[in-house]
Structures are given as structure tokens and as C-alpha cells.
Amino acid sequence: MSDYTPKPEHKFTFGLWTVGNVGRDPFGEAVRHRMSPVEIVHMLAEVGAWGVNLHDNDLVPIDATPAERDQIVREFKQALADTGIVVPMATTNLFYDPIFKDGAFTSNDPRVRAYALQKTMRAIDLGVELGAKVYVFWGGREGTETDASKSALESGKRFREALNFLCAYVKDNGYDLKFAIEPKPNEPRSDIYLPTVGSALGFIATLDHPEMVGLNPEVAHEHMAGLNFLHAIAQAWDAGKLFHIDLNDQLFGRYDQDFRFGSVMLKQAFFLVKFLEDMGYEGSRHFDAHAYRTEDYEGVKAFARGCMRTYLILKEKAARWNADPEIQALVQQINADDGTYSYLSGGYSKDKAERLKAESFDVPALGKRGLPYEQLDQLTVELLLGVR
Ligand code: GLT
Ligand code: MN
Ligand code: MN
């Protein structure tokens, strides 16, 4: 039996807003008392997490005076020092206050856009002070209910201008910080700009400092749009843009459920963990999820432990999959290559094109050949079910 105890090298993190979620939803009040950031840090240490992430206002209330801010930050740093918990990622709350009801960087009101920039610069200072190396941009309110209200084209330009400004701010201050855009298709807006990983990747290429900006994809957000999360992750990885990841779970097509990692779509979670581990992804494994509304804080601890334990179990399953002789024989068979067409790799040449045009293919035979994917998938399922 393996050891599924979380360790610092696993880089498991939780946001203050995740384990600190009090269970409020649009139809009901809080069901858990609000824990202080210091209490949350101690709870994360108790369950074995490595790090904690935060929005500016998870820690410092939006109306705190500078003196209050300093005291809160001092106490929080003490809790970090007492527990060994680190802060790898920080972000700005640009969605809760009524000022952001029509967006922050994409608001039609230049005063709101200016305030959003000011708030983000201050939040970046705070994040850097706490040691964050990744800074997330989730544009939860950057969107519309009606496209009569805002120009989608202009909004894209405003978003770009804001990120360009903030990248320059980071450089100007000599901060060691990368940005990670977190896409989401809808909720709380009817439609949110940059709805998917693919659209964010395209947007990043248009920025002044694209090398500073990557992705923070979230399982649930691509699932809400009915998309294959692993495919999005592979594309982000290939582009060198997987700077951070939000792990959770939910069924396709639903509201933003933010369930415990691996609790709903186990096979997708397995292939995701396998990909991250096979590739040697070195960033945080951030569980952006929260416990069911039915739970008290014992249930919240069970939730947090469950996220990490499931990840580690799936990591072990991935290693087994990679070492399973029957599975690997099928993988080899599927990827068999006798080298006949290796001349096609390495790019185009006139000779290659001529040679290929002269080749003949047995198209009916290629169309008829069977592919053992049923067998391979069944072996995968059996491995996951624990009978292999
Ligand atoms: C919010 C959202 C998350 C984002 C957070 C970062 S806040 O809870 O649902 O997906 O990651 O701003
Ligand atoms: Mn979510
Ligand atoms: Mn998230």
C-alpha cells in the first residue's frame, strides 16, 4: 500500500477562499462561520498543504486603513512563519465590490478602469511582499449580459492595454512575477470575455510582453463549456504557457460547481494527473474548489484531504499505467512506425513533395484495420477500478 501523505514537494495549494468558503449561494445564507486568514493557514498546515493563495481582499478588507493593512499582513506573515506554509500565487478581487458590476479592465467607465489598475498594482505589491511568483487574472466580471452594452472589440483592446500596463509595472519594479490568465465561459456574467484556454492563448500573443503571461486553466471552467480539459492543458503546455492550474471537478454544462478534485469525472482526472506527472509540470497543484454546503469544518478538512489524496492515488495509477506490460504493448502497437515515411519529418522540401506525390497508398486496407482502443480503454478502467 502506498503512502498518500501530502508532502511539500507535491506543491498542493488552496486559496483562502476555498477552504474558507462559508457555503453561501444565490439561494441561501452562509452555513459555516467565517474563519480568519490566520486560522485558515493553520488548518491548511494541519491537513498537509504546502501553500496558500489569496485575493487582496481575502486578507485585507477593501476599506482597511494603511495601518490596519500592515497589522493584518504582519499577523498573516507570522502564521506563515509558524506553519511553514508559503504563498506561491496571488490575485486581485475585481469582482465582488459593486464598482465592478460591469467589469474592471473592460468597464465602459474610465474611472472604474483606472481604479481597477490602481487596485491591481497595490495587490501585486502585496502578493510580491508575501512571496508570490504567479499572479492570476480571472476576469469574472469582464463580460456582458447584452452586447448592446459594450463593444467586444473595444473590451479586448482595454483588457490588452491593462495587462500591458501591469506587465510594465512589474518590470519597472524589478518583481520576479509572471501573470496567468484564468479563462471561464460564463458565471457570474452571462458571457465572459476570453472564455476558454484557446482564446486566452490567442490573446496572449497580442500583448507587449507575451513571455510574461501564461495560463491558469481550471478544470470546471472548461467543463462548463463541455470541453476536454486535457486537450486544453496539452495545448497550453505545448505553448509553454501552463504557469498554474486550478484543480477541481464538475459535470459538463452546469453552474460553477467547484467540487472536490476527482469527485465527478474520475477518468478525466486520471488522464490530467498522468499528463502533468509525465510532462514534469513543476507548478502548484492548486485546488480551487470548496466543500459541499452540507459540511461543517470537519467536512472541510475531509474535502481538502480528499483533493490531495485523490491526486496522489491517481499519480500512482499513472505510474502503474506506464509500467503495465499489457497496456504498454497496446500503446506500442498503436504507435508502430517502420520508418517508411520518416523522410517527411523535419520540414518541407521540393524533393520530399515530389517523392510523396509519387507514392501509392492502399486506402481500403488502411481504412479497414482495427484499432484496439476498446481494449486499451477497458484496461484503463480496470486499472482505475483497482482490479489490475
Ligand atoms: C473565484 C473563481 C475562481 C478564480 C478565483 C481567482 S476566484 O472563486 O470562481 O475560479 O480562480 O480570482
Ligand atoms: Mn470555478
Ligand atoms: Mn479558479
Side-chain angles (χ1 to χ4, degrees):
M1 195 58 187
S2 294
D3 178 15
Y4 304 121
T5 312
K7 305 208 173 66
E9 69 257 28
H10 300 133
K11 296 194 174 168
F12 291 138
T13 66
F14 291 83
L16 280 179
W17 68 94
T18 64
V19 280
N21 181 289
V22 293
R24 185 176 289 120
D25 72 14
F27 304 96
E29 254 309 334
V31 294
R32 294 183 282 268
H33 71 269
R34 189 164 292 286
M35 281 199 297
S36 72
V38 167
E39 286 173 314
I40 295 174
V41 166
H42 282 276
M43 182 200 267
L44 288 177
E46 183 188 336
V47 298
W50 168 66
V52 64
N53 307 312
L54 50 100
H55 298 89
D56 48 356
N57 303 138
D58 296 337
L59 182 62
V60 183
I62 194 165
D63 53 1
T65 64
E68 285 165 346
R69 176 221 188 257
D70 290 348
Q71 194 192 335
I72 292 167
V73 172
R74 212 177 311 121
E75 286 169 8
F76 188 67
K77 281 182 172 169
Q78 189 58 51
L80 296 174
D82 291 344
T83 56
I85 295 278
V86 296
V87 178
M89 177 272 259
T91 181
T92 329
N93 188 324
L94 295 172
F95 46 88
Y96 196 81
D97 193 274
I99 190 174
F100 300 125
K101 62 189 171 191
D102 193 26
F105 302 139
T106 66
S107 166
N108 279 330
D109 189 330
R111 293 167 300 181
V112 175
R113 297 202 299 274
Y115 174 70
L117 271 184
Q118 183 203 60
K119 190 174 194 291
T120 305
M121 285 191 291
R122 288 181 177 162
I124 285 175
D125 295 343
L126 173 65
V128 169
E129 182 180 347
L130 294 171
K133 295 280 186 282
V134 176
Y135 201 84
V136 164
F137 288 83
W138 173 64
R141 297 277 176 201
E142 314 287 11
T144 59
E145 281 70 46
T146 166
D147 286 326
S149 67
K150 267 198 259 183
S151 155
L153 185 63
E154 202 49 44
S155 294
K157 291 180 178 171
R158 288 172 181 163
F159 215 140
R160 180 183 306 121
E161 207 167 87
L163 285 188
N164 284 343
F165 188 97
L166 293 165
C167 279
Y169 176 74
V170 165
K171 279 179 166 294
D172 192 28
N173 282 278
Y175 291 157
D176 175 17
L177 193 67
K178 289 190 293 187
F179 289 175
I181 297 176
E182 180 176 342
K184 188 175 183 184
N186 57 274
E187 198 185 333
R189 300 310 296 267
S190 179
D191 289 288
I192 297 177
Y193 298 126
L194 304 179
T196 60
V197 167
S199 58
L201 278 173
F203 175 73
I204 290 168
T206 71
L207 298 173
D208 285 351
H209 299 288
E211 72 288 350
M212 279 180 70
V213 186
L215 264 293
N216 177 37
E218 174 171 317
V219 177
H221 295 176
E222 302 291 307
H223 280 192
M224 284 171 74
L227 297 174
N228 184 311
F229 188 66
L230 174 65
H231 295 189
I233 289 300
Q235 199 186 348
W237 178 263
D238 184 54
K241 292 298 185 193
L242 191 63
F243 288 5
H244 200 264
I245 193 165
D246 278 4
L247 300 171
N248 55 13
D249 209 353
Q250 75 166 63
L251 291 172
F252 284 173
R254 307 238 169 153
Y255 67 97
D256 188 15
Q257 295 180 303
D258 291 338
F259 285 148
R260 191 178 77 256
F261 180 61
S263 62
V264 185
M265 298 206 189
L266 206 46
K267 196 158 72 170
Q268 283 89 337
F270 165 70
F271 282 115
L272 173 61
V273 170
K274 178 168 146 46
F275 183 87
L276 295 176
E277 297 300 323
D278 285 351
M279 294 302 116
Y281 167 75
E282 285 182 345
S284 294
R285 275 80 171 159
H286 172 223
F287 298 105
D288 187 10
H290 49 77
Y292 304 143
R293 193 164 179 269
T294 47
E295 306 306 298
D296 60 11
Y297 278 112
E298 283 311 305
V300 171
K301 287 184 210 168
F303 146 83
R305 290 190 172 110
C307 285
M308 297 184 284
R309 188 172 164 85
T310 298
Y311 187 100
L312 292 174
I313 295 169
L314 291 175
K315 180 179 169 178
E316 185 196 77
K317 296 280 183 193
R320 274 177 192 240
W321 198 94
N322 289 340
D324 187 302
E326 211 177 327
I327 289 175
Q328 289 311 311
L330 287 172
V331 170
Q332 274 204 0
Q333 184 188 330
I334 287 162
N335 291 290
D337 183 350
D338 66 6
T340 308
Y341 300 103
S342 55
Y343 72 89
L344 287 174
S345 56
Y348 174 87
S349 77
K350 215 173 183 43
D351 286 354
K352 289 182 189 179
E354 291 303 322
R355 184 171 161 188
L356 180 56
K357 278 167 114 178
E359 301 248 18
S360 62
F361 291 89
D362 188 348
V363 174
L366 284 172
K368 268 195 212 130
R369 79 207 191 287
L371 303 171
Y373 296 170
E374 285 285 2
Q375 204 186 338
L376 182 56
D377 187 70
Q378 180 64 24
L379 291 176
T380 304
V381 168
E382 292 190 12
L383 190 143
L384 289 178
L385 292 177
V387 297
R388 287 189 72 76

